[in-house]
Amino acid sequence: MSGRFIVFEGGEGAGKTTVAAAVGRRLAHLGHEVVLTREPGGTPAGERVRALLHENLVPWGEAFAFLVARAQIVHELIRPALERGATVLCDRFAASTMAYQGHARGLDMATLRAANMAATGGLEPELTIWLDLDPAVGLARKLGEAESIRTGLEAVAFHERVRDGYRRLMEEAAPGRWVRINAAQPLVEVEMRAWEAISGTRPRGG
Ligand code: TMP
């Protein structure tokens, strides 16, 4: 596969979607084929999973729902795009499951890791950009939005655990694979830091 796979992670209201879109416009402007997508979503089945999350799912039900969406998006969208050399920018990926369902919700990490591996076929992003923000600030931003996915309405304590989960995932990551950006900065600064991280990363095989 010759394309680049870059993932944006972070808690609620951190600005992942906006920053990914800005980076995508910049890459497209330079002539790259850019596939901008999100999880859960990116495929018809994935979008239906997003709707399913409004149901009162039990914790493993919720985890498997995210994994359904992940298996589909990897197979239908991400791998084909990487194979034709596109840059894939994905708003959330496997790390979200480890941070939310694992660290925050308390589901067994080893099982989640194995399930992620099955869903992705071992595909990992070359770079994960973590937009880190105080959950109280992020939730205040988010709750202004119409969307109210179950996890978005939960207590700040849950989202503190999510943040701690991301911290640990970054510590465990191989050097250069994770970048933390302070998402409390003005958006233009956050976008600039993300751009630096992406343009400073050597393309796979390049
Ligand atoms: P968002 O992409 O708009 O932030 O909404 C997705 C919500 O789903 C968000 O609350 C995080 C949550 N989520 C998980 O809990 N686990 C996952 O694996 C993924 C992809 C998302």
Side-chain angles (χ1 to χ4, degrees):
M1 284 191 293
S2 57
R4 302 182 68 194
F5 181 30
I6 296 161
V7 167
F8 292 80
E9 288 284 356
E12 315 298 308
K16 298 183 297 349
T17 312
T18 311
V19 174
V23 167
R25 278 195 300 275
R26 210 157 162 170
L27 285 167
H29 194 71
L30 292 175
H32 296 272
E33 185 200 345
V34 176
V35 173
L36 184 62
T37 189
R38 67 169 181 176
E39 265 209 32
T43 66
E47 291 300 333
R48 290 180 74 176
V49 165
R50 188 167 275 267
L52 184 68
L53 296 172
H54 294 282
E55 305 289 335
N56 198 19
L57 299 177
V58 296
W60 274 111
E62 187 185 51
F64 285 125
F66 288 120
L67 289 156
V68 167
R70 187 157 307 131
Q72 291 303 127
I73 199 177
V74 167
H75 181 78
E76 290 181 30
L77 190 73
I78 300 177
R79 278 192 190 276
L82 294 176
E83 276 161 12
R84 61 174 192 267
T87 299
V88 177
L89 303 177
C90 193
D91 185 340
R92 298 194 183 281
F93 195 60
S96 280
T97 301
M98 301 311 292
Y100 282 80
Q101 279 66 53
H103 286 284
R105 187 87 64 211
L107 297 186
D108 181 66
M109 301 288 288
T111 308
L112 287 174
R113 216 173 281 120
N116 259 333
M117 179 68 86
T120 61
L123 180 71
E124 288 180 6
E126 69 168 60
L127 179 68
T128 297
I129 296 180
W130 171 32
L131 301 187
D132 183 29
L133 185 64
D134 178 346
V137 176
L139 284 173
R141 281 185 190 170
K142 179 94 180 183
L143 293 176
E145 295 176 16
E147 188 175 314
S148 59
I149 287 179
R150 182 179 164 209
T151 43
L153 295 175
E154 284 171 34
V156 170
F158 175 86
H159 294 280
E160 291 285 3
R161 293 201 297 278
V162 171
R163 187 186 201 188
D164 204 46
Y166 280 125
R167 269 194 206 105
R168 292 212 223 155
L169 290 167
M170 181 160 177
E171 281 165 15
E172 291 162 7
R177 289 294 197 102
W178 273 64
V179 171
R180 175 192 168 275
I181 297 175
N182 172 10
Q185 303 177 88
L187 196 57
V188 61
E189 290 289 328
V190 178
E191 287 174 5
M192 211 181 313
R193 297 286 91 78
W195 178 252
E196 283 168 5
I198 287 170
S199 53
T201 308
R202 279 182 49 211
R204 223 171 239 176

PDB file of all heavy atoms in Angstrom, residues 34-68:
ATOM      1  N   VAL A  34      -7.220  12.992  -1.402  1.00  0.00           N
ATOM      2  CA  VAL A  34      -7.500  12.932   0.028  1.00  0.00           C
ATOM      3  C   VAL A  34      -8.843  12.248   0.249  1.00  0.00           C
ATOM      4  O   VAL A  34      -9.834  12.583  -0.402  1.00  0.00           O
ATOM      5  CB  VAL A  34      -7.541  14.348   0.648  1.00  0.00           C
ATOM      6  CG1 VAL A  34      -7.932  14.283   2.125  1.00  0.00           C
ATOM      7  CG2 VAL A  34      -6.189  15.033   0.488  1.00  0.00           C
ATOM      8  N   VAL A  35      -8.869  11.281   1.155  1.00  0.00           N
ATOM      9  CA  VAL A  35     -10.124  10.663   1.566  1.00  0.00           C
ATOM     10  C   VAL A  35     -10.340  11.055   3.025  1.00  0.00           C
ATOM     11  O   VAL A  35      -9.577  10.653   3.902  1.00  0.00           O
ATOM     12  CB  VAL A  35     -10.088   9.134   1.392  1.00  0.00           C
ATOM     13  CG1 VAL A  35     -11.328   8.483   1.981  1.00  0.00           C
ATOM     14  CG2 VAL A  35      -9.949   8.778  -0.088  1.00  0.00           C
ATOM     15  N   LEU A  36     -11.347  11.876   3.238  1.00  0.00           N
ATOM     16  CA  LEU A  36     -11.645  12.379   4.580  1.00  0.00           C
ATOM     17  C   LEU A  36     -12.849  11.607   5.099  1.00  0.00           C
ATOM     18  O   LEU A  36     -13.904  11.610   4.461  1.00  0.00           O
ATOM     19  CB  LEU A  36     -11.965  13.872   4.452  1.00  0.00           C
ATOM     20  CG  LEU A  36     -12.218  14.678   5.713  1.00  0.00           C
ATOM     21  CD1 LEU A  36     -11.012  14.707   6.617  1.00  0.00           C
ATOM     22  CD2 LEU A  36     -12.607  16.114   5.320  1.00  0.00           C
ATOM     23  N   THR A  37     -12.682  10.932   6.221  1.00  0.00           N
ATOM     24  CA  THR A  37     -13.793  10.118   6.691  1.00  0.00           C
ATOM     25  C   THR A  37     -13.839  10.098   8.222  1.00  0.00           C
ATOM     26  O   THR A  37     -13.012  10.726   8.870  1.00  0.00           O
ATOM     27  CB  THR A  37     -13.707   8.700   6.076  1.00  0.00           C
ATOM     28  OG1 THR A  37     -14.904   8.000   6.372  1.00  0.00           O
ATOM     29  CG2 THR A  37     -12.516   7.916   6.609  1.00  0.00           C
ATOM     30  N   ARG A  38     -14.837   9.400   8.748  1.00  0.00           N
ATOM     31  CA  ARG A  38     -14.992   9.389  10.200  1.00  0.00           C
ATOM     32  C   ARG A  38     -15.521   8.045  10.674  1.00  0.00           C
ATOM     33  O   ARG A  38     -16.135   7.293   9.921  1.00  0.00           O
ATOM     34  CB  ARG A  38     -15.983  10.471  10.634  1.00  0.00           C
ATOM     35  CG  ARG A  38     -17.409  10.183  10.158  1.00  0.00           C
ATOM     36  CD  ARG A  38     -18.395  11.099  10.803  1.00  0.00           C
ATOM     37  NE  ARG A  38     -19.758  10.812  10.355  1.00  0.00           N
ATOM     38  CZ  ARG A  38     -20.830  11.426  10.821  1.00  0.00           C
ATOM     39  NH1 ARG A  38     -20.712  12.381  11.708  1.00  0.00           N
ATOM     40  NH2 ARG A  38     -22.034  11.106  10.387  1.00  0.00           N
ATOM     41  N   GLU A  39     -15.273   7.794  11.951  1.00  0.00           N
ATOM     42  CA  GLU A  39     -15.803   6.604  12.612  1.00  0.00           C
ATOM     43  C   GLU A  39     -16.619   7.013  13.825  1.00  0.00           C
ATOM     44  O   GLU A  39     -16.167   7.902  14.567  1.00  0.00           O
ATOM     45  CB  GLU A  39     -14.630   5.750  13.091  1.00  0.00           C
ATOM     46  CG  GLU A  39     -14.238   4.681  12.141  1.00  0.00           C
ATOM     47  CD  GLU A  39     -13.643   3.525  12.914  1.00  0.00           C
ATOM     48  OE1 GLU A  39     -14.066   3.282  14.058  1.00  0.00           O
ATOM     49  OE2 GLU A  39     -12.772   2.884  12.392  1.00  0.00           O
ATOM     50  N   PRO A  40     -17.710   6.377  14.126  1.00  0.00           N
ATOM     51  CA  PRO A  40     -18.354   5.407  13.238  1.00  0.00           C
ATOM     52  C   PRO A  40     -18.952   6.135  12.032  1.00  0.00           C
ATOM     53  O   PRO A  40     -19.442   7.248  12.174  1.00  0.00           O
ATOM     54  CB  PRO A  40     -19.439   4.790  14.116  1.00  0.00           C
ATOM     55  CG  PRO A  40     -19.733   5.834  15.155  1.00  0.00           C
ATOM     56  CD  PRO A  40     -18.467   6.585  15.365  1.00  0.00           C
ATOM     57  N   GLY A  41     -18.875   5.495  10.887  1.00  0.00           N
ATOM     58  CA  GLY A  41     -19.395   6.117   9.663  1.00  0.00           C
ATOM     59  C   GLY A  41     -18.536   5.729   8.486  1.00  0.00           C
ATOM     60  O   GLY A  41     -17.881   4.693   8.506  1.00  0.00           O
ATOM     61  N   GLY A  42     -18.550   6.548   7.466  1.00  0.00           N
ATOM     62  CA  GLY A  42     -17.706   6.337   6.299  1.00  0.00           C
ATOM     63  C   GLY A  42     -18.237   5.347   5.284  1.00  0.00           C
ATOM     64  O   GLY A  42     -17.772   5.324   4.148  1.00  0.00           O
ATOM     65  N   THR A  43     -19.187   4.518   5.707  1.00  0.00           N
ATOM     66  CA  THR A  43     -19.826   3.554   4.799  1.00  0.00           C
ATOM     67  C   THR A  43     -21.317   3.560   5.169  1.00  0.00           C
ATOM     68  O   THR A  43     -21.677   3.999   6.276  1.00  0.00           O
ATOM     69  CB  THR A  43     -19.294   2.116   5.009  1.00  0.00           C
ATOM     70  OG1 THR A  43     -19.699   1.670   6.315  1.00  0.00           O
ATOM     71  CG2 THR A  43     -17.789   2.031   4.890  1.00  0.00           C
ATOM     72  N   PRO A  44     -22.174   3.046   4.289  1.00  0.00           N
ATOM     73  CA  PRO A  44     -23.603   2.996   4.659  1.00  0.00           C
ATOM     74  C   PRO A  44     -23.828   2.235   5.971  1.00  0.00           C
ATOM     75  O   PRO A  44     -24.562   2.698   6.846  1.00  0.00           O
ATOM     76  CB  PRO A  44     -24.244   2.277   3.463  1.00  0.00           C
ATOM     77  CG  PRO A  44     -23.329   2.584   2.313  1.00  0.00           C
ATOM     78  CD  PRO A  44     -21.934   2.634   2.904  1.00  0.00           C
ATOM     79  N   ALA A  45     -23.140   1.097   6.149  1.00  0.00           N
ATOM     80  CA  ALA A  45     -23.321   0.329   7.399  1.00  0.00           C
ATOM     81  C   ALA A  45     -22.803   1.128   8.592  1.00  0.00           C
ATOM     82  O   ALA A  45     -23.420   1.135   9.662  1.00  0.00           O
ATOM     83  CB  ALA A  45     -22.588  -1.014   7.291  1.00  0.00           C
ATOM     84  N   GLY A  46     -21.679   1.800   8.405  1.00  0.00           N
ATOM     85  CA  GLY A  46     -21.093   2.589   9.489  1.00  0.00           C
ATOM     86  C   GLY A  46     -22.001   3.727   9.931  1.00  0.00           C
ATOM     87  O   GLY A  46     -22.120   4.032  11.125  1.00  0.00           O
ATOM     88  N   GLU A  47     -22.654   4.350   8.963  1.00  0.00           N
ATOM     89  CA  GLU A  47     -23.587   5.434   9.313  1.00  0.00           C
ATOM     90  C   GLU A  47     -24.797   4.879  10.070  1.00  0.00           C
ATOM     91  O   GLU A  47     -25.346   5.520  10.950  1.00  0.00           O
ATOM     92  CB  GLU A  47     -24.032   6.216   8.069  1.00  0.00           C
ATOM     93  CG  GLU A  47     -22.922   7.056   7.421  1.00  0.00           C
ATOM     94  CD  GLU A  47     -22.303   8.125   8.347  1.00  0.00           C
ATOM     95  OE1 GLU A  47     -22.978   8.603   9.278  1.00  0.00           O
ATOM     96  OE2 GLU A  47     -21.117   8.470   8.133  1.00  0.00           O
ATOM     97  N   ARG A  48     -25.184   3.662   9.720  1.00  0.00           N
ATOM     98  CA  ARG A  48     -26.299   3.042  10.458  1.00  0.00           C
ATOM     99  C   ARG A  48     -25.878   2.693  11.876  1.00  0.00           C
ATOM    100  O   ARG A  48     -26.679   2.763  12.805  1.00  0.00           O
ATOM    101  CB  ARG A  48     -26.826   1.817   9.699  1.00  0.00           C
ATOM    102  CG  ARG A  48     -27.545   2.253   8.427  1.00  0.00           C
ATOM    103  CD  ARG A  48     -28.077   1.102   7.664  1.00  0.00           C
ATOM    104  NE  ARG A  48     -29.267   0.527   8.296  1.00  0.00           N
ATOM    105  CZ  ARG A  48     -29.973  -0.455   7.770  1.00  0.00           C
ATOM    106  NH1 ARG A  48     -29.600  -0.967   6.616  1.00  0.00           N
ATOM    107  NH2 ARG A  48     -31.024  -0.922   8.385  1.00  0.00           N
ATOM    108  N   VAL A  49     -24.617   2.316  12.043  1.00  0.00           N
ATOM    109  CA  VAL A  49     -24.105   2.066  13.394  1.00  0.00           C
ATOM    110  C   VAL A  49     -24.198   3.359  14.209  1.00  0.00           C
ATOM    111  O   VAL A  49     -24.591   3.344  15.377  1.00  0.00           O
ATOM    112  CB  VAL A  49     -22.651   1.546  13.354  1.00  0.00           C
ATOM    113  CG1 VAL A  49     -21.995   1.643  14.725  1.00  0.00           C
ATOM    114  CG2 VAL A  49     -22.616   0.107  12.861  1.00  0.00           C
ATOM    115  N   ARG A  50     -23.872   4.477  13.609  1.00  0.00           N
ATOM    116  CA  ARG A  50     -23.950   5.765  14.312  1.00  0.00           C
ATOM    117  C   ARG A  50     -25.379   5.982  14.845  1.00  0.00           C
ATOM    118  O   ARG A  50     -25.570   6.408  15.977  1.00  0.00           O
ATOM    119  CB  ARG A  50     -23.549   6.891  13.357  1.00  0.00           C
ATOM    120  CG  ARG A  50     -23.406   8.242  13.996  1.00  0.00           C
ATOM    121  CD  ARG A  50     -22.710   9.228  13.080  1.00  0.00           C
ATOM    122  NE  ARG A  50     -21.264   9.143  13.171  1.00  0.00           N
ATOM    123  CZ  ARG A  50     -20.515   9.887  13.978  1.00  0.00           C
ATOM    124  NH1 ARG A  50     -21.065  10.783  14.763  1.00  0.00           N
ATOM    125  NH2 ARG A  50     -19.208   9.749  14.012  1.00  0.00           N
ATOM    126  N   ALA A  51     -26.361   5.640  14.032  1.00  0.00           N
ATOM    127  CA  ALA A  51     -27.755   5.782  14.467  1.00  0.00           C
ATOM    128  C   ALA A  51     -28.069   4.792  15.603  1.00  0.00           C
ATOM    129  O   ALA A  51     -28.778   5.127  16.553  1.00  0.00           O
ATOM    130  CB  ALA A  51     -28.688   5.563  13.284  1.00  0.00           C
ATOM    131  N   LEU A  52     -27.498   3.608  15.492  1.00  0.00           N
ATOM    132  CA  LEU A  52     -27.733   2.557  16.493  1.00  0.00           C
ATOM    133  C   LEU A  52     -27.258   2.968  17.886  1.00  0.00           C
ATOM    134  O   LEU A  52     -27.791   2.531  18.903  1.00  0.00           O
ATOM    135  CB  LEU A  52     -26.978   1.299  16.035  1.00  0.00           C
ATOM    136  CG  LEU A  52     -27.110   0.005  16.818  1.00  0.00           C
ATOM    137  CD1 LEU A  52     -28.530  -0.547  16.684  1.00  0.00           C
ATOM    138  CD2 LEU A  52     -26.108  -1.029  16.307  1.00  0.00           C
ATOM    139  N   LEU A  53     -26.258   3.853  17.938  1.00  0.00           N
ATOM    140  CA  LEU A  53     -25.688   4.252  19.230  1.00  0.00           C
ATOM    141  C   LEU A  53     -26.657   5.068  20.074  1.00  0.00           C
ATOM    142  O   LEU A  53     -26.430   5.274  21.255  1.00  0.00           O
ATOM    143  CB  LEU A  53     -24.383   5.025  19.018  1.00  0.00           C
ATOM    144  CG  LEU A  53     -23.280   4.180  18.385  1.00  0.00           C
ATOM    145  CD1 LEU A  53     -22.087   5.047  18.034  1.00  0.00           C
ATOM    146  CD2 LEU A  53     -22.863   3.041  19.300  1.00  0.00           C
ATOM    147  N   HIS A  54     -27.741   5.514  19.471  1.00  0.00           N
ATOM    148  CA  HIS A  54     -28.764   6.216  20.251  1.00  0.00           C
ATOM    149  C   HIS A  54     -29.594   5.242  21.082  1.00  0.00           C
ATOM    150  O   HIS A  54     -30.319   5.629  21.986  1.00  0.00           O
ATOM    151  CB  HIS A  54     -29.683   7.050  19.340  1.00  0.00           C
ATOM    152  CG  HIS A  54     -28.956   8.185  18.673  1.00  0.00           C
ATOM    153  ND1 HIS A  54     -28.645   9.349  19.335  1.00  0.00           N
ATOM    154  CD2 HIS A  54     -28.470   8.325  17.420  1.00  0.00           C
ATOM    155  CE1 HIS A  54     -27.998  10.153  18.517  1.00  0.00           C
ATOM    156  NE2 HIS A  54     -27.878   9.553  17.349  1.00  0.00           N
ATOM    157  N   GLU A  55     -29.496   3.948  20.729  1.00  0.00           N
ATOM    158  CA  GLU A  55     -30.174   2.919  21.531  1.00  0.00           C
ATOM    159  C   GLU A  55     -29.399   2.750  22.842  1.00  0.00           C
ATOM    160  O   GLU A  55     -28.227   3.084  22.920  1.00  0.00           O
ATOM    161  CB  GLU A  55     -30.169   1.575  20.789  1.00  0.00           C
ATOM    162  CG  GLU A  55     -30.767   1.601  19.395  1.00  0.00           C
ATOM    163  CD  GLU A  55     -32.276   1.782  19.417  1.00  0.00           C
ATOM    164  OE1 GLU A  55     -32.894   1.422  20.426  1.00  0.00           O
ATOM    165  OE2 GLU A  55     -32.805   2.293  18.415  1.00  0.00           O
ATOM    166  N   ASN A  56     -30.064   2.176  23.826  1.00  0.00           N
ATOM    167  CA  ASN A  56     -29.412   1.991  25.112  1.00  0.00           C
ATOM    168  C   ASN A  56     -28.621   0.680  25.102  1.00  0.00           C
ATOM    169  O   ASN A  56     -29.026  -0.314  25.693  1.00  0.00           O
ATOM    170  CB  ASN A  56     -30.477   2.010  26.214  1.00  0.00           C
ATOM    171  CG  ASN A  56     -29.856   2.255  27.562  1.00  0.00           C
ATOM    172  OD1 ASN A  56     -28.721   2.742  27.655  1.00  0.00           O
ATOM    173  ND2 ASN A  56     -30.577   1.911  28.609  1.00  0.00           N
ATOM    174  N   LEU A  57     -27.469   0.680  24.415  1.00  0.00           N
ATOM    175  CA  LEU A  57     -26.683  -0.553  24.270  1.00  0.00           C
ATOM    176  C   LEU A  57     -25.925  -0.867  25.555  1.00  0.00           C
ATOM    177  O   LEU A  57     -25.473   0.041  26.257  1.00  0.00           O
ATOM    178  CB  LEU A  57     -25.673  -0.392  23.122  1.00  0.00           C
ATOM    179  CG  LEU A  57     -26.244  -0.125  21.730  1.00  0.00           C
ATOM    180  CD1 LEU A  57     -25.105   0.090  20.725  1.00  0.00           C
ATOM    181  CD2 LEU A  57     -27.139  -1.267  21.273  1.00  0.00           C
ATOM    182  N   VAL A  58     -25.777  -2.160  25.817  1.00  0.00           N
ATOM    183  CA  VAL A  58     -24.911  -2.567  26.930  1.00  0.00           C
ATOM    184  C   VAL A  58     -23.468  -2.314  26.482  1.00  0.00           C
ATOM    185  O   VAL A  58     -23.197  -2.198  25.281  1.00  0.00           O
ATOM    186  CB  VAL A  58     -25.127  -4.054  27.311  1.00  0.00           C
ATOM    187  CG1 VAL A  58     -26.543  -4.265  27.835  1.00  0.00           C
ATOM    188  CG2 VAL A  58     -24.837  -4.971  26.128  1.00  0.00           C
ATOM    189  N   PRO A  59     -22.506  -2.222  27.443  1.00  0.00           N
ATOM    190  CA  PRO A  59     -21.136  -1.853  27.063  1.00  0.00           C
ATOM    191  C   PRO A  59     -20.525  -2.699  25.946  1.00  0.00           C
ATOM    192  O   PRO A  59     -19.959  -2.149  25.003  1.00  0.00           O
ATOM    193  CB  PRO A  59     -20.365  -1.996  28.378  1.00  0.00           C
ATOM    194  CG  PRO A  59     -21.386  -1.640  29.417  1.00  0.00           C
ATOM    195  CD  PRO A  59     -22.676  -2.231  28.913  1.00  0.00           C
ATOM    196  N   TRP A  60     -20.664  -4.032  26.001  1.00  0.00           N
ATOM    197  CA  TRP A  60     -20.090  -4.841  24.917  1.00  0.00           C
ATOM    198  C   TRP A  60     -20.881  -4.684  23.626  1.00  0.00           C
ATOM    199  O   TRP A  60     -20.325  -4.786  22.532  1.00  0.00           O
ATOM    200  CB  TRP A  60     -19.961  -6.324  25.326  1.00  0.00           C
ATOM    201  CG  TRP A  60     -18.679  -6.591  26.057  1.00  0.00           C
ATOM    202  CD1 TRP A  60     -18.552  -6.905  27.382  1.00  0.00           C
ATOM    203  CD2 TRP A  60     -17.344  -6.540  25.522  1.00  0.00           C
ATOM    204  NE1 TRP A  60     -17.223  -7.052  27.704  1.00  0.00           N
ATOM    205  CE2 TRP A  60     -16.457  -6.834  26.588  1.00  0.00           C
ATOM    206  CE3 TRP A  60     -16.817  -6.265  24.273  1.00  0.00           C
ATOM    207  CZ2 TRP A  60     -15.069  -6.859  26.423  1.00  0.00           C
ATOM    208  CZ3 TRP A  60     -15.427  -6.286  24.108  1.00  0.00           C
ATOM    209  CH2 TRP A  60     -14.582  -6.583  25.175  1.00  0.00           C
ATOM    210  N   GLY A  61     -22.157  -4.424  23.740  1.00  0.00           N
ATOM    211  CA  GLY A  61     -22.972  -4.160  22.543  1.00  0.00           C
ATOM    212  C   GLY A  61     -22.452  -2.923  21.830  1.00  0.00           C
ATOM    213  O   GLY A  61     -22.293  -2.908  20.599  1.00  0.00           O
ATOM    214  N   GLU A  62     -22.173  -1.907  22.627  1.00  0.00           N
ATOM    215  CA  GLU A  62     -21.643  -0.659  22.083  1.00  0.00           C
ATOM    216  C   GLU A  62     -20.272  -0.912  21.430  1.00  0.00           C
ATOM    217  O   GLU A  62     -20.002  -0.467  20.313  1.00  0.00           O
ATOM    218  CB  GLU A  62     -21.512   0.340  23.239  1.00  0.00           C
ATOM    219  CG  GLU A  62     -21.126   1.726  22.835  1.00  0.00           C
ATOM    220  CD  GLU A  62     -20.899   2.603  24.070  1.00  0.00           C
ATOM    221  OE1 GLU A  62     -20.150   2.209  24.988  1.00  0.00           O
ATOM    222  OE2 GLU A  62     -21.467   3.695  24.091  1.00  0.00           O
ATOM    223  N   ALA A  63     -19.408  -1.666  22.136  1.00  0.00           N
ATOM    224  CA  ALA A  63     -18.069  -1.955  21.602  1.00  0.00           C
ATOM    225  C   ALA A  63     -18.177  -2.690  20.261  1.00  0.00           C
ATOM    226  O   ALA A  63     -17.510  -2.326  19.283  1.00  0.00           O
ATOM    227  CB  ALA A  63     -17.279  -2.799  22.601  1.00  0.00           C
ATOM    228  N   PHE A  64     -19.054  -3.690  20.210  1.00  0.00           N
ATOM    229  CA  PHE A  64     -19.178  -4.450  18.958  1.00  0.00           C
ATOM    230  C   PHE A  64     -19.772  -3.583  17.845  1.00  0.00           C
ATOM    231  O   PHE A  64     -19.429  -3.757  16.676  1.00  0.00           O
ATOM    232  CB  PHE A  64     -20.010  -5.721  19.173  1.00  0.00           C
ATOM    233  CG  PHE A  64     -19.258  -6.804  19.901  1.00  0.00           C
ATOM    234  CD1 PHE A  64     -19.755  -7.376  21.064  1.00  0.00           C
ATOM    235  CD2 PHE A  64     -18.037  -7.263  19.421  1.00  0.00           C
ATOM    236  CE1 PHE A  64     -19.052  -8.369  21.741  1.00  0.00           C
ATOM    237  CE2 PHE A  64     -17.322  -8.257  20.090  1.00  0.00           C
ATOM    238  CZ  PHE A  64     -17.828  -8.812  21.255  1.00  0.00           C
ATOM    239  N   ALA A  65     -20.640  -2.662  18.202  1.00  0.00           N
ATOM    240  CA  ALA A  65     -21.200  -1.763  17.180  1.00  0.00           C
ATOM    241  C   ALA A  65     -20.071  -0.950  16.530  1.00  0.00           C
ATOM    242  O   ALA A  65     -19.999  -0.831  15.304  1.00  0.00           O
ATOM    243  CB  ALA A  65     -22.248  -0.842  17.806  1.00  0.00           C
ATOM    244  N   PHE A  66     -19.170  -0.417  17.359  1.00  0.00           N
ATOM    245  CA  PHE A  66     -18.046   0.344  16.798  1.00  0.00           C
ATOM    246  C   PHE A  66     -17.171  -0.548  15.925  1.00  0.00           C
ATOM    247  O   PHE A  66     -16.636  -0.118  14.906  1.00  0.00           O
ATOM    248  CB  PHE A  66     -17.211   0.971  17.922  1.00  0.00           C
ATOM    249  CG  PHE A  66     -17.901   2.116  18.617  1.00  0.00           C
ATOM    250  CD1 PHE A  66     -18.173   2.068  19.979  1.00  0.00           C
ATOM    251  CD2 PHE A  66     -18.281   3.245  17.915  1.00  0.00           C
ATOM    252  CE1 PHE A  66     -18.809   3.121  20.621  1.00  0.00           C
ATOM    253  CE2 PHE A  66     -18.917   4.312  18.547  1.00  0.00           C
ATOM    254  CZ  PHE A  66     -19.183   4.248  19.905  1.00  0.00           C
ATOM    255  N   LEU A  67     -17.056  -1.817  16.348  1.00  0.00           N
ATOM    256  CA  LEU A  67     -16.204  -2.744  15.589  1.00  0.00           C
ATOM    257  C   LEU A  67     -16.824  -3.131  14.251  1.00  0.00           C
ATOM    258  O   LEU A  67     -16.106  -3.335  13.268  1.00  0.00           O
ATOM    259  CB  LEU A  67     -15.902  -3.982  16.441  1.00  0.00           C
ATOM    260  CG  LEU A  67     -14.936  -3.675  17.597  1.00  0.00           C
ATOM    261  CD1 LEU A  67     -15.083  -4.662  18.731  1.00  0.00           C
ATOM    262  CD2 LEU A  67     -13.492  -3.639  17.085  1.00  0.00           C
ATOM    263  N   VAL A  68     -18.140  -3.207  14.205  1.00  0.00           N
ATOM    264  CA  VAL A  68     -18.827  -3.445  12.918  1.00  0.00           C
ATOM    265  C   VAL A  68     -18.470  -2.309  11.951  1.00  0.00           C
ATOM    266  O   VAL A  68     -18.057  -2.533  10.807  1.00  0.00           O
ATOM    267  CB  VAL A  68     -20.362  -3.503  13.106  1.00  0.00           C
ATOM    268  CG1 VAL A  68     -21.079  -3.438  11.755  1.00  0.00           C
ATOM    269  CG2 VAL A  68     -20.773  -4.762  13.873  1.00  0.00           C
TER     270      VAL A  68
END
